[in-house]
Amino acid sequence: MKADTHPDYHMIKVQMTDGTVFETRSTWGKEGDLMTLDIDPLAHPAWTGGRGQLLDQGGQVARFNKRFGGLSLGKK
């Protein structure tokens, strides 16, 4: 195996949106750097159950037929 092909893993600190800090190994930054997160599982609606609503009512074909079902492309 070739030498020096793997990235340099080192310890960094990660700060969550609520201010908590934990240490993990990463290839990001340098040893001891602080990564501040703007979005994390504590703040993102995908994990917190936010205000998102499911709008799909029958799929794309049903929506197309609902919008353009009255159009006729054939001869009259």
Side-chain angles (χ1 to χ4, degrees):
M1 201 156 88
K2 292 182 181 179
D4 299 327
T5 58
H6 295 286
D8 176 38
Y9 285 103
H10 46 272
M11 296 300 288
I12 65 164
K13 294 180 182 178
V14 178
Q15 182 176 7
M16 306 285 272
T17 56
D18 68 347
T20 58
V21 177
F22 66 92
E23 284 190 311
T24 187
R25 291 175 48 109
S26 176
T27 60
W28 180 84
K30 300 177 204 149
E31 179 81 25
D33 281 352
L34 176 67
M35 176 188 285
T36 305
L37 300 179
D38 295 329
I39 298 175
D40 63 12
L42 302 173
H44 195 278
W47 288 288
T48 61
R51 299 184 191 131
Q53 296 178 354
L54 185 60
L55 299 176
D56 190 13
Q57 297 176 355
Q60 291 184 5
V61 174
R63 281 191 306 235
F64 179 84
N65 289 334
K66 183 177 177 183
R67 290 179 67 190
F68 302 110
L71 295 178
S72 176
L73 298 176
K75 296 181 182 180
K76 291 185 179 180

